[in-house]
Amino acid sequence: MTDKTNLLDFDLDGLVEWFAARGEKPFRARQVMRWLHRAGVSDFAQMSDVAKGLRATLAAEACVHVPNAVRDSESTDGTRKWLLDVGAGNAIETVFIPEASRGTLCISSQAGCALDCAFCSTGKQGFNRNLSAAEIIGQLWLANRLLGATADGERIISNVVMMGMGEPLANLDNVITALRVMLDDHGYGLSRRRVTVSTSGIVPAMDRLREACPVALAVSLHAANDALRDKIVPINQKYPLRALLAACNRYLSAAPRDFVTFEYVMLDGVNDSDKDARELIAIAGQVSCKYNLIPFNPFPNSPFRRSPAERIRRFAGILQDAGIVATTRKTRGDDVDAACGQLAGQVLDKTRRTQILHPVRELRQ
Ligand code: SAH
Ligand code: SF4
């Protein structure tokens, strides 16, 4: 590795500071940011409107480094999935989901995750490390290049969701830096409404995100009462529903959208009864929200099954009859294991994964 500074680790303020330390004006930072992120140029020699002397300084002291794509898979439905090597045997994944009216990039924030949700294959791998800001924004940089984006062409990626591997709010500083680059007009110029952070509910970090960089918020609810949520989303033991819902309401006061998206994974016989649906209606009375029902995606050694399609339909119907917006997520990229909760499942060391697999919990009570 190099001891040069990776410029992808900076948002605009960080770049301005780095340039100022070298006697350069702020407009140079803006110029270079446009080359890096808008044009996707990593070779300083190509930055034609940057003064020659500065280009030499950049070549000597800085670099543009993104994780290496070691696998590129395309699903029959057009979903693309890249496996990125982040060193020391760690791999993360980035998924591009094309739709008629938008292109969504699902990016990772950590290698592994410490929060250990019962139904999540990332959680079962354990925590390896936080991604740097460059590794987070590097996923957008790289996806644009691999999808053939050009500086003056049509935008291919219109939306970003932080729903890949990891808990973004457990790596908040680096996530905030990356978010700022996504939103910056000199960076990717994405609308705040089209950038979504998904969290399992780390309450103090939700407040920090609201203050530092409010974007659209998705919260992984998955259970409508503390007794069940304590078991399947263990962070609930620290920040129970009452605290979580209060944090959602505080967040909404600054959010670019006037609702929170509650994600709800449909687990057969665990959280999919009519009673669960009625409890979700009560929650919707406390927070302006939409529900996104996610059919569970199985992975090896998982104790859960996906709720039958008819059960999901009925569950959604109960919410909808109460006037609540409830959508059911289409499963995309199934054939390349790009669906929620399956990321990097096929590449990591299976032996290790089995060893750290937790005993099946009794969830049916
Ligand atoms: N850590 C964050 C974001 C990453 S997970 C969070 O938990 O919100 C993105 C979404 O996929 C979350 O709602 C998560 O609960 C869900 N998910 C995890 N494993 C899943 C699985 N096996 N099937 C379906 N959804 C899953
Ligand atoms: Fe971590 Fe999210 Fe998976 Fe829970 S669902 S283990 S928070 S990645």
Side-chain angles (χ1 to χ4, degrees), residues 113 115-117 119-120 122-123 166-167 200:
C113 180
L115 297 187
D116 197 23
C117 299
F119 48 81
C120 174
T122 304
E167 166 53 51
S200 55

Side-chain angles (χ1 to χ4, degrees), residues 266-288:
M266 298 298 294
L267 303 170
D268 185 22
V270 174
N271 66 352
D272 62 351
S273 69
D274 290 1
K275 175 173 170 286
D276 292 302
R278 286 193 297 271
E279 286 179 350
L280 289 185
I281 295 173
I283 287 178
Q286 299 170 59
V287 178
S288 164

Side-chain angles (χ1 to χ4, degrees), residues 256-270:
R257 289 184 181 270
D258 58 6
F259 61 90
V260 169
T261 302
F262 283 132
E263 295 161 279
Y264 196 90
V265 65
M266 298 298 294
L267 303 170
D268 185 22
V270 174

Side-chain angles (χ1 to χ4, degrees), residues 342-357:
Q342 294 184 315
L343 303 183
Q346 303 303 311
V347 285
L348 294 176
D349 177 357
K350 291 274 171 38
T351 334
R352 196 173 144 261
R353 207 150 65 100
T354 316
Q355 279 166 0
I356 59 169
L357 198 73

Side-chain angles (χ1 to χ4, degrees), residues 113 115 117 119-122 162-168 198-200 218-222 263-265 294-299 329 340-342:
C113 180
L115 297 187
C117 299
F119 48 81
C120 174
S121 102
T122 304
M162 301 214 62
M163 295 184 184
M165 288 179 82
E167 166 53 51
S198 173
T199 179
S200 55
V219 172
S220 293
L221 195 64
H222 303 317
E263 295 161 279
Y264 196 90
V265 65
I294 314 174
F296 170 65
N297 292 307
F299 54 90
R329 189 174 294 175
C340 308
Q342 294 184 315

Side-chain angles (χ1 to χ4, degrees), residues 29-351:
R30 293 194 287 271
Q31 229 174 4
V32 169
M33 190 166 188
R34 286 198 297 270
W35 279 110
L36 293 174
H37 295 288
R38 274 211 208 157
V41 165
S42 54
D43 176 3
F44 300 120
Q46 287 178 33
M47 301 185 177
S48 51
D49 59 359
V50 174
K52 268 215 170 117
L54 177 55
R55 274 189 261 166
T57 309
L58 288 170
E61 296 184 33
C63 65
V64 179
H65 183 74
V66 298
N68 221 1
V70 288
R71 195 187 298 164
D72 179 344
S73 341
E74 183 159 4
S75 159
T76 47
D77 66 16
T79 302
R80 284 276 287 274
K81 180 178 85 161
W82 298 283
L83 181 71
L84 307 182
D85 176 6
V86 291
N90 290 321
I92 57 159
E93 282 177 334
T94 305
V95 179
F96 176 67
I97 306 150
E99 287 172 286
S101 57
R102 61 185 171 191
T104 303
L105 193 69
C106 176
I107 68 181
S108 298
S109 55
Q110 300 181 309
C113 180
L115 297 187
D116 197 23
C117 299
F119 48 81
C120 174
S121 102
T122 304
K124 294 298 151 214
Q125 287 159 25
F127 176 66
N128 295 309
R129 69 169 175 83
N130 280 331
L131 299 184
S132 66
E135 288 167 331
I136 299 171
I137 201 67
Q139 296 170 62
L140 183 49
W141 190 98
L142 192 64
N144 266 317
R145 304 288 77 69
L146 295 172
L147 292 167
T150 54
D152 40 14
E154 206 181 312
R155 200 197 291 274
I156 299 174
I157 297 168
S158 58
N159 295 52
V160 171
V161 293
M162 301 214 62
M163 295 184 184
M165 288 179 82
E167 166 53 51
L169 296 193
N171 182 17
L172 191 57
D173 290 341
N174 294 340
V175 163
I176 286 174
T177 301
L179 289 175
R180 287 185 170 143
V181 178
M182 290 176 207
L183 302 178
D184 201 306
D185 282 339
H186 303 289
Y188 297 87
L190 294 178
S191 148
R192 267 179 209 285
R193 302 160 56 84
R194 291 171 171 266
V195 175
T196 302
V197 166
S198 173
T199 179
S200 55
I202 304 183
V203 164
M206 290 167 68
D207 289 321
R208 276 194 59 209
L209 181 68
R210 178 194 79 223
E211 284 158 16
C213 191
V215 292
L217 183 70
V219 172
S220 293
L221 195 64
H222 303 317
N225 57 69
D226 283 321
L228 179 59
R229 198 162 189 270
D230 277 350
K231 290 182 183 157
I232 62 174
V233 185
I235 190 74
N236 194 71
Q237 296 162 20
K238 194 159 181 193
Y239 306 112
L241 281 172
R242 212 183 131 93
L244 177 60
L245 301 181
C248 289
N249 279 324
R250 289 195 296 280
Y251 193 90
L252 283 174
S253 66
R257 289 184 181 270
D258 58 6
F259 61 90
V260 169
T261 302
F262 283 132
E263 295 161 279
Y264 196 90
V265 65
M266 298 298 294
L267 303 170
D268 185 22
V270 174
N271 66 352
D272 62 351
S273 69
D274 290 1
K275 175 173 170 286
D276 292 302
R278 286 193 297 271
E279 286 179 350
L280 289 185
I281 295 173
I283 287 178
Q286 299 170 59
V287 178
S288 164
C289 67
K290 294 185 180 175
Y291 285 106
N292 190 211
L293 308 179
I294 314 174
F296 170 65
N297 292 307
F299 54 90
N301 296 323
S302 143
F304 300 106
R305 284 185 315 266
R306 178 184 290 184
S307 307
E310 177 52 27
R311 176 88 292 261
I312 299 180
R313 214 187 48 73
R314 192 179 145 85
F315 194 90
I318 295 174
L319 298 175
Q320 287 155 358
D321 287 348
I324 295 165
V325 178
T327 50
T328 303
R329 189 174 294 175
K330 272 186 289 175
T331 302
R332 299 280 307 250
D334 252 352
D335 51 341
V336 291
D337 279 331
C340 308
Q342 294 184 315
L343 303 183
Q346 303 303 311
V347 285
L348 294 176
D349 177 357
K350 291 274 171 38
T351 334

